[in-house]
Amino acid sequence: MGLHAWPTSLLSSRSTPGDVYAEITCSGWFSTLAWQSYQNLEGFYANYGPGPGTINFGRPNWRLPSQKFTPGVDCSVKYLYFLLRKNNSPSGSLYGRIYSSSGGSPNTILAVSSAVSAASLPSTGYSWVRFSFSTPYALSASTSYWASVYSPSSHSTNNIMARIDENACYFQDNHYAKYSDAGVWKTIPNVTSPGTYPHLFFRVLCITDTGSQLLSIADAGNQFFADVTAPASNVNTSPYLFSQNTCLDEILSLMHLGTSNNRMILAKVTPDLILKFYEQPDPSLPTVFMDRNGRFYSRENKPLAPYFPPVGQWAGLIGTDRYVMPFDQARAPSCFVG
């Protein structure tokens, strides 16, 4: 009866004679990051409604429709979007603006986007119009800001229409929209639900360094690591992720995206369980060398043990006829050992 507690495999029940072999594939600590899925809803703030409503701005006493938002993380705004169309034939350009918030209204202009021609807007139907910041503006977590669209031109009939959401579907309940009336900030009237405050149809797209994203994702998926370190990549992308991918999937994607030096980001786990992300070494400076028989040597010409391959290093070629280092490196460049 005691033997029934032992697991039984198909290999142990073979009826034919002969040796039995099993292949076991082992995974390292890095693979444990696949045990946890990852989502991040910060870095992208938007309202798509649905809800009725429009505001006619770029005319006297109706200027600067603005939407309040509060990022949950430190990030930098790269793009603003608003749902717009032109009314008749407006002239000049439109600009996206980021304002600070004070007393529940826009206060100081913090950043201004590049120009968008008012004439380029559709005359029928609304389109998402993008306003780009050539230098992304840094936003602080848990600090409120206002996203605004500004028309320097003012005309009673040739102006701009913006969609607003009178159902107020933006998830931050008290973050309503306002407009400027001769320099005084007022809430936008709600036609379908008087007494309530509408929101704009808008998008705020923020970016962060992928090195900081690696830290956040690894921390979220951490099962065993004592610490996680990562350098700045100087590559910025949106940290917003809404998927069912694992932490490992997202980390590998960022590692392949690489750094501003056009090199991959590599990772290793130390014996004391510290996960370290680092930039791929410079390919022009190989740290190991390989002879014509496929054997690896250190810079000091000492052979490397076969069971310790130089993974994560660049290997140069040595000991081959008609090849002289470093003059022939362009003809036989270093190879990366992955």
Side-chain angles (χ1 to χ4, degrees), residues 138-219:
L139 307 177
S140 298
S142 304
T143 300
S144 293
Y145 301 91
W146 291 80
S148 305
V149 54
Y150 170 61
S151 172
S153 299
S154 176
H155 197 278
S156 58
T157 57
N158 298 314
N159 40 57
I160 309 298
M161 304 291 292
R163 278 296 314 275
I164 63 173
D165 170 22
E166 294 183 345
N167 289 347
C169 294
Y170 185 46
F171 72 95
Q172 293 176 321
D173 292 334
N174 66 335
H175 285 36
Y176 41 81
K178 286 191 170 185
Y179 75 101
S180 176
D181 179 357
V184 178
W185 291 101
K186 298 181 178 181
T187 54
I188 297 174
N190 195 324
V191 176
T192 58
S193 300
T196 62
Y197 304 128
H199 298 156
L200 293 184
F201 279 73
F202 77 103
R203 301 172 185 164
V204 179
L205 178 63
C206 298
I207 57 177
T208 61
D209 189 274
T210 58
S212 65
Q213 293 181 46
L214 285 171
L215 290 176
S216 298
I217 300 172
D219 286 342

Side-chain angles (χ1 to χ4, degrees), residues 243-272:
S243 68
Q244 295 299 319
N245 291 339
T246 67
C247 292
L248 182 59
D249 292 333
E250 300 296 349
I251 283 174
L252 291 175
S253 177
L254 292 177
M255 290 174 65
H256 282 96
L257 184 60
T259 69
S260 60
N261 293 325
N262 294 319
R263 301 180 199 164
M264 292 189 298
I265 296 175
L266 307 179
K268 64 180 178 182
V269 180
T270 66
D272 49 351

Side-chain angles (χ1 to χ4, degrees), residues 54-240:
T54 61
I55 181 173
N56 182 203
F57 72 99
R59 59 192 178 99
N61 299 340
W62 285 83
R63 314 296 294 273
L64 280 162
S66 305
Q67 173 67 47
K68 188 179 180 182
F69 70 100
T70 303
V73 295
D74 292 344
C75 55
S76 297
V77 60
K78 176 62 177 176
Y79 301 115
L80 294 182
Y81 295 80
F82 298 98
L83 203 53
L84 309 175
R85 72 171 178 85
K86 62 185 177 183
N87 185 37
N88 298 317
S89 301
S91 60
S93 298
L94 306 178
Y95 298 87
R97 286 180 175 180
I98 297 294
Y99 281 84
S100 64
S101 183
S102 178
S105 295
N107 187 27
T108 303
I109 299 174
L110 302 176
V112 178
S113 77
S114 55
V116 173
S117 170
S120 68
L121 271 58
S123 56
T124 58
Y126 289 83
S127 177
W128 284 105
V129 179
R130 186 178 74 181
F131 297 89
S132 304
F133 295 86
S134 57
T135 300
Y137 184 79
L139 307 177
S140 298
S142 304
T143 300
S144 293
Y145 301 91
W146 291 80
S148 305
V149 54
Y150 170 61
S151 172
S153 299
S154 176
H155 197 278
S156 58
T157 57
N158 298 314
N159 40 57
I160 309 298
M161 304 291 292
R163 278 296 314 275
I164 63 173
D165 170 22
E166 294 183 345
N167 289 347
C169 294
Y170 185 46
F171 72 95
Q172 293 176 321
D173 292 334
N174 66 335
H175 285 36
Y176 41 81
K178 286 191 170 185
Y179 75 101
S180 176
D181 179 357
V184 178
W185 291 101
K186 298 181 178 181
T187 54
I188 297 174
N190 195 324
V191 176
T192 58
S193 300
T196 62
Y197 304 128
H199 298 156
L200 293 184
F201 279 73
F202 77 103
R203 301 172 185 164
V204 179
L205 178 63
C206 298
I207 57 177
T208 61
D209 189 274
T210 58
S212 65
Q213 293 181 46
L214 285 171
L215 290 176
S216 298
I217 300 172
D219 286 342
N222 183 15
Q223 303 289 327
F224 306 101
F225 302 122
D227 193 16
V228 182
T229 64
S233 68
N234 295 314
V235 173
N236 293 292
T237 65
S238 173
Y240 178 87

